[in-house]
Amino acid sequence: MRLLFISFILLFISGCMETPELSPSKEVIAQDQIKSNITEAEKAKEEYIKLQKQRSSE
């Protein structure tokens, strides 16, 4: 009984000591998506400025 209790406590403590971490692959994917979104936003902004110049000249 005593051995069972000690093994349960050790198992519980070892389970609590492991901290989950974000896997590097998910982190890299998120960073790539952010960079892609920034690039697309910059392209859209350039196109908007171009269209505004074109409208003002008309």
Side-chain angles (χ1 to χ4, degrees), residues 15-54:
C16 292
M17 293 178 72
E18 296 177 15
T19 56
E21 295 180 10
L22 183 63
S23 66
S25 61
K26 289 183 181 179
E27 192 172 330
V28 170
I29 290 171
Q31 289 174 350
D32 288 342
Q33 185 65 42
I34 290 169
K35 288 178 185 176
S36 174
N37 289 346
I38 290 172
T39 304
E40 288 179 23
E42 289 172 350
K43 288 179 184 177
K45 184 178 179 181
E46 290 171 3
E47 185 176 341
Y48 176 75
I49 292 170
K50 182 178 134 183
L51 288 173
Q52 288 292 23
K53 287 180 183 178
Q54 188 180 28

Side-chain angles (χ1 to χ4, degrees), residues 1-9:
M1 179 75 177
R2 193 172 179 188
L3 183 60
L4 182 62
F5 181 72
I6 292 173
S7 62
F8 175 73
I9 296 297

